[in-house]
Amino acid sequence: MEGTSMSYGAVLAVRGVVKAFSAARVVMERSPHSVLAGEGATTFAVRNGIEAAETLTDDAKQQFEDWRRQHLEEEGSDHRGESHDTVGVICLDHDGNLCAGTSTSGWKFKHPGRVGDAPVVGSGLYCDSSVGAAVATGDGEEILRTCLSFAVVEFMRGGDSPQLACKKGIARLEETVKRSAAGRSVEEVNRMHDRLTVAVMAMNPKGDIGAASTLGPRNVHRGRPSFPLAIWRKGDPVRVVEETEIP
Ligand code: GLY
């Protein structure tokens, strides 16, 4: 999403193209559409110069076969584990133009056809150069129904810093999850909360950044109680910081 012209492009459920960001960008820049899915997305991307490539690695295939052997009889059950791997990027240029992008393989071993938050404008990403940009990662179903990235940008529009906006966005998402758990026992709701894995980061046109997540000592992801982000400003080396280090 490009936040000065408010243009947006996405590809969903694509096979045969590794560079999903580039494929989404050609949809945004060279098609009259915003979203292309499946075979049509791949065909359009390849026709527009995006390299065709095999996306299924031998390692992923082996993991899937092992998983299928173990879980064949439990179709439809939740085997998310620690499978998220969304990349979210926000860039700001010298003239104050912001853009944002997300790319993901989604939920590991999901039902065919499932689409997460990453390509959905307002959920996985939102960008308005006059206010700020936000990108999300983690449990897509929760991010989708909260419209998390849009909410964070709207908090900034209301005057919040990127950091406060991210915190408020995560608080809203946790509230949404609680409401969806109405009628369940306190223990069950706590268990749901302890498994919730969502992070969001944001930037405003001044270059101030923010980040927040649902993680904590009781809810670690890949062994970490917080979410890492990489920050690069022209002339400086890349810094990797934990979301909790952002003041
Ligand atoms: N956030 C990635 C997904 O749920 O698909």
Side-chain angles (χ1 to χ4, degrees), residues 20 84-87 102-107 110 114 116-119:
H84 295 290
D85 56 0
T86 303
V87 176
T102 43
S103 175
T104 192
S105 66
W107 174 341
K110 60 203 167 234
R114 182 258 180 189
D117 60 294

